Amino acid sequence: MGSVQIVTTVLAAAITAVAVWLAVRAVLKMVAVIRLGQPAPERFADKGTRAKTMLVETAGHTRMLRWGVVGAAHWFVMVGFIVLSLLVLEAYFEVVSPTGGLPLIGGLAVYGLVTEVIAVLGTVGILVLIAIRVRNRPTRPGGRSRFTGSTMWQGYFVEAVVLAVLVMGFVIRGFKVATDHFEYPLWATPVSHALGALLPAWPAGVSVAALIKIVISMTWLIVIALNVTMGVAWHRFLAFFNIFFKREPARPAGSGLGPLRPMTSNGKPLDFEEADPEKDQFGVAQVEQFTWKGLLDFSTCTECGRCQSQCPAWNTGKPLSPKLLVLSLRDHAYAKAPYLLAGGGKDLTGEEKATAAQLAHLDVLTLAEADKPLIGDAEAGGVIDPDVLWSCTTCGACVEQCPVDIEHVDHIVDMRRYQVLIESSFPSEAGVMLRNLENKGNPWGAPQNTREDWTKGLGFEVPRVGEVDDFEYLFWVGCAGAFEDRAKKTTRAVATLLNEAGVSFAILGEGETCSGDPARRIGNEFVFQMLAQQNVETLNEAFEGREQAKRKIVATCPHCFNTLGNEYGQLGGEFEVVHHTQLLAHLVSTGRLTPVQPVDGGVTYHDPCYLGRHNRVFAAPREVLGSAINGGGRADTDLIEMPRNSERSFCCGAGGARMWMEEKIGKRINVDRVEEAMSTGARTVAVGCPFCSTMLNDGVNGKGAGEQVEVVDVASVLLRSVRPDTAPGQQETAPTAG
């Protein structure tokens, strides 16, 4: 060992020892903070499925690749980071000796080839990611980007380190080539050989370059160890755990979509008949009241901004950014952690749990952070502004796009639950809706004895459960379908089509009440459970004696479809629920409904969030519309897709109980969507949700385009094609503006 190697070895050992010590300390701190969260025992169930899902998502980059070039570049960088960690390890042998290398695999030509290819592609990948970050920098001309609010220096630092480590790997190999110490042939490592031809034959070059590579790598480790909230770096370790512990690893729609988490206290579902607000947790009022998985979510955020780029609130000038909400919760959790770890915290009555002696060593900044309310405006110094909390439509776009499976919607609703149930703090206009749900069983406050008025004048009898001995489907009409004028036309169209196809069905009529979706999404779990338990009891009675496969429900409202099919199981109601577009698509494909009249003027389709993104029903409504558009055998016209469609469909603005809240900030979400629909040139905008129908109709009227564009349900489009003679009576024409 020469003098250069002695120096490089000592320096490499010293910086590595410091970096490893700091990293271990940081990991222990991070684990301690995450463990402050509430229990979530269900996250440990079905480990096999969890492991499989985690491997598929990470190795296959299934979410990242939805972004094409970005996903491919990130995959090569990820693989490069994992595989080329071996080259960092190899550098420790090279600081000791210029001819050093990994034992066993170090001299294999295939190892040299694989690492060479990965290094080249990783270098290209990181350059692409750097270019994308620069092109989308928040300060660029043209307004906000998905990186707005991200800590940009951290992103640039991480990318620069990755690039530098990759380059130094080639430099080390180049010096080995120049000094005839390289063990791999030209065909396996052409880039290294080409670089070696340009470098001088400096014997100490290998050890010096290896030291530089180690210093760069350990500097990166030291920096992230001193910044435990540096998600852009830590996610490469935490993402595996966050994906493994996702809520429903087997769910096709993705974890955090579809059903909401039930309210829990100390890891157990809350029983409202026995719950005590002084002993049981009602929603989330303090950051430590999130589950440990919630705190892991916040720690894992990469600050990539994909959620932000898709959020309808953010894109229309609202204060909500799912990314910034998560970052605020993350920063608050880690700033408050010393207080919590010292034994501090408020019990459910608001009393301090720690003694003065326990808190005596804490600095004023930590104590000030501990005193911040979780929800509060700027004057109150809250972590999350109320306008942020109530801007969410629960559309799930953030969850759909998150590459590390953060469950934004669950966290938002948990905070809403505390505000509604304990603080009685929510937008005032929603209070009317909640009172109507409690007193009338529907959000509009319509009399219960008018639930069957939509059946009048149909020309055939609509049977009620109890009046017929058997039926194949229970037709869940829903509150909108029973009371809202536009939605009633959809209900009549569906009933007419089912009758035409010979499908036996029955309705509950006055026995039906609201599914509870708006109450649950606004955070009033008590009202949701009251309504849901009533409906579960009614439905179980209607299906009494039937096996699971024959307890079939068809619903026209995606919110009812989602609630009955995905959430009633939490309360003992197990049913097979289909959306009306799924049933209609089946009836058309089996020849029980035959479209004959083509639809003129062009048709575009708006994917409802709770049908598409939350439940992955994309094909069925398009199949129905395709058959109607080409009715009568014509095959020269296709559905016109909006730029944002399917899983990237833009919300109408009605979800999350926002249907009953005024949109006072920024541009109206429904107007934004209507402008996109109108840009296609289609005269018909087809929908599959009564809320979407209302919102888009209002948007069309607001644009003064009621004479040029019609918003109509998929079922009504099909009815016009199947029975042109009766279709005019089913039309859902937009009322004139004013």
Side-chain angles (χ1 to χ4, degrees):
M1 181 185 293
S3 59
V4 172
Q5 283 71 42
I6 292 173
V7 173
T8 56
T9 301
V10 170
L11 292 176
I15 193 170
T16 300
V18 172
V20 170
W21 177 75
L22 289 173
V24 170
R25 189 183 69 167
V27 169
L28 292 176
K29 178 179 180 180
M30 196 173 290
V31 170
V33 171
I34 292 169
R35 291 184 65 184
L36 288 169
Q38 300 302 302
E42 72 280 1
R43 304 285 180 167
F44 294 93
D46 202 1
K47 294 183 178 66
T49 300
R50 292 182 179 281
K52 178 182 176 182
T53 301
M54 183 268 290
L55 290 172
V56 168
E57 282 198 26
T58 52
H61 251 43
T62 51
R63 287 175 174 268
M64 289 293 298
L65 287 173
R66 294 174 184 170
W67 284 61
V69 173
V70 177
H74 191 276
W75 188 86
F76 287 120
V77 172
M78 180 197 74
V79 172
F81 177 81
I82 295 171
V83 175
L84 299 183
S85 295
L86 291 173
L87 294 184
V88 176
L89 177 61
E90 188 173 31
Y92 285 93
F93 292 91
E94 292 161 341
V95 295
V96 177
S97 170
T99 61
L102 285 177
L104 300 178
I105 64 173
L108 299 177
V110 66
Y111 171 72
L113 173 63
V114 169
T115 51
E116 185 91 349
V117 170
I118 291 174
V120 170
L121 295 176
T123 301
V124 173
I126 198 64
L127 288 172
V128 169
L129 294 181
I130 291 171
I132 290 171
R133 187 177 293 273
V134 171
R135 188 183 66 194
N136 291 282
R137 65 193 184 282
T139 56
R140 82 199 194 290
R144 300 184 295 181
S145 81
R146 65 184 177 95
F147 292 117
T148 298
S150 298
T151 313
M152 294 300 288
W153 76 262
Q154 295 180 353
Y156 289 129
F157 170 75
V158 168
E159 289 164 347
V161 166
V162 172
L163 180 60
V165 168
L166 289 167
V167 169
M168 290 312 300
F170 284 116
V171 171
I172 293 170
R173 287 185 164 188
F175 274 121
K176 284 188 173 183
V177 170
T179 55
D180 288 330
H181 292 145
F182 199 42
E183 57 266 63
Y184 305 115
L186 174 62
W187 65 265
T189 53
V191 177
S192 298
H193 276 273
L195 183 59
L198 302 175
L199 293 175
W202 181 27
V206 173
S207 296
V208 172
L211 174 63
I212 294 172
K213 182 174 184 176
I214 290 171
V215 168
I216 293 171
S217 300
M218 292 304 107
T219 298
W220 174 81
L221 190 56
I222 289 169
V223 170
I224 73 167
L226 295 174
N227 293 273
V228 290
T229 59
M230 194 171 175
V232 70
W234 281 106
H235 84 273
R236 61 188 58 195
F237 306 111
L238 297 178
F240 298 98
F241 298 97
N242 209 52
I243 295 170
F244 180 87
F245 288 115
K246 66 196 296 186
R247 174 151 61 88
E248 295 181 88
R251 184 173 172 77
S255 186
L257 293 173
L260 284 172
R261 283 183 67 250
M263 276 183 67
T264 60
S265 180
N266 198 32
K268 298 177 182 178
L270 199 64
D271 183 348
F272 276 93
E273 293 184 2
E274 301 178 359
D276 181 351
E278 294 189 359
K279 298 178 181 178
D280 296 300
Q281 181 180 314
F282 279 58
V284 169
Q286 304 288 336
V287 72
E288 65 271 20
Q289 291 178 348
F290 287 106
T291 66
W292 62 260
K293 174 56 170 63
L295 297 179
L296 178 59
D297 270 359
F298 309 152
S299 303
T300 308
C301 179
T302 72
E303 303 189 27
C304 67
R306 286 173 178 78
C307 59
Q308 183 171 284
S309 72
Q310 304 297 303
C311 177
W314 176 261
N315 279 289
T316 54
K318 314 293 189 292
L320 168 64
S321 157
K323 177 187 72 178
L324 297 181
L325 178 138
V326 166
L327 297 187
S328 296
L329 293 171
R330 177 198 69 188
D331 293 345
H332 173 60
Y334 280 89
K336 188 178 180 181
Y339 160 78
L340 297 171
L341 293 171
K346 302 291 195 299
D347 63 22
L348 294 173
T349 64
E351 295 296 319
E352 175 60 58
K353 293 187 288 187
T355 64
Q358 286 177 297
L359 305 180
H361 69 285
L362 298 178
D363 60 52
V364 293
L365 292 178
T366 299
L367 294 173
E369 193 73 32
D371 284 337
K372 282 186 177 180
L374 190 65
I375 307 297
D377 57 20
E379 184 177 347
V383 179
I384 304 298
D385 190 279
D387 285 335
V388 169
L389 186 67
W390 296 109
S391 291
C392 179
T393 67
T394 69
C395 71
C398 49
V399 179
E400 169 74 31
Q401 289 298 323
C402 182
V404 293
D405 280 309
I406 293 172
E407 296 160 6
H408 312 72
V409 172
D410 281 345
H411 303 321
I412 288 171
V413 172
D414 272 341
M415 289 186 284
R416 285 183 172 186
R417 284 166 167 167
Y418 180 82
Q419 293 300 304
V420 172
L421 293 171
I422 302 300
E423 297 291 337
S424 295
S425 176
F426 50 87
S428 58
E429 61 268 24
V432 176
M433 177 269 291
L434 289 173
R435 286 193 295 274
N436 285 336
L437 287 177
E438 290 190 73
N439 299 327
K440 299 289 188 177
N442 68 86
W444 285 275
Q448 184 72 354
N449 61 10
T450 62
R451 269 196 181 268
E452 300 178 31
D453 284 1
W454 64 270
T455 63
K456 296 175 181 178
L458 275 178
F460 58 90
E461 282 294 317
V462 176
R464 281 75 175 164
V465 171
E467 295 178 358
V468 289
D469 295 330
D470 194 22
F471 54 89
E472 185 178 2
Y473 285 93
L474 188 151
F475 181 13
W476 183 271
V477 177
C479 299
F483 301 121
E484 204 274 327
D485 288 341
R486 297 187 189 95
K488 281 196 285 187
K489 294 172 184 175
T490 299
T491 308
R492 291 167 63 87
V494 171
T496 302
L497 288 165
L498 295 182
N499 183 69
E500 178 80 7
V503 176
S504 61
F505 69 96
I507 62 171
L508 290 173
E510 294 183 26
E512 185 182 300
T513 192
C514 180
S515 68
D517 165 85
R520 187 168 229 197
R521 265 71 196 169
I522 203 174
N524 198 325
E525 185 75 5
F526 177 79
V527 171
F528 163 74
Q529 292 211 16
M530 178 185 72
L531 295 168
Q533 286 170 354
Q534 178 181 335
N535 282 325
V536 166
E537 184 177 335
T538 300
L539 290 168
N540 282 338
E541 184 178 335
F543 288 122
E544 188 174 3
R546 294 197 186 197
E547 58 188 77
Q548 173 67 31
K550 293 185 178 180
R551 295 160 65 90
K552 296 194 287 188
I553 298 173
V554 58
T556 57
C557 174
H559 298 264
C560 296
F561 165 68
N562 178 70
T563 302
L564 271 63
N566 293 327
E567 297 184 335
Y568 276 16
Q570 299 170 3
L571 300 170
E574 298 290 343
F575 314 109
E576 181 184 328
V577 186
V578 298
H579 189 250
H580 71 285
T581 59
Q582 293 175 298
L583 180 54
L584 295 178
H586 170 71
L587 296 175
V588 171
S589 67
T590 55
R592 295 172 70 179
L593 289 174
T594 305
V596 294
Q597 178 67 46
V599 178
D600 294 322
V603 179
T604 189
Y605 174 64
H606 164 78
D607 288 274
C609 300
Y610 274 83
L611 181 63
R613 197 154 35 235
H614 278 277
N615 286 284
R616 312 304 291 180
V617 179
F618 300 121
R622 287 173 169 80
E623 290 168 4
V624 173
L625 291 171
S627 65
I629 291 169
N630 298 312
R634 191 179 70 181
D636 59 346
T637 306
D638 294 318
L639 182 71
I640 306 169
E641 292 284 9
M642 292 187 231
R644 294 175 292 191
N645 64 78
S646 302
E647 68 271 1
R648 289 199 186 184
S649 179
F650 197 70
C651 182
C652 75
R658 288 230 44 103
M659 178 86 171
W660 291 275
M661 299 183 221
E662 289 297 323
E663 198 168 344
K664 301 173 182 176
I665 305 173
K667 183 179 181 181
R668 294 183 67 86
I669 294 172
N670 60 333
V671 171
D672 192 296
R673 186 56 165 170
V674 161
E675 289 174 352
E676 184 175 5
M678 292 175 63
S679 72
T680 66
R683 287 186 53 81
T684 299
V685 179
V687 298
C689 171
F691 291 179
C692 295
S693 176
T694 296
M695 298 300 284
L696 297 188
N697 263 302
D698 288 350
V700 167
N701 292 336
K703 299 291 291 184
E707 297 297 321
Q708 294 80 42
V709 179
E710 178 187 23
V711 179
V712 63
D713 190 86
V714 170
S716 293
V717 175
L718 179 62
L719 181 60
R720 295 176 188 181
S721 184
V722 171
R723 293 180 58 180
D725 54 321
T726 61
Q730 302 295 336
Q731 287 183 5
E732 295 181 76
T733 53
T736 56

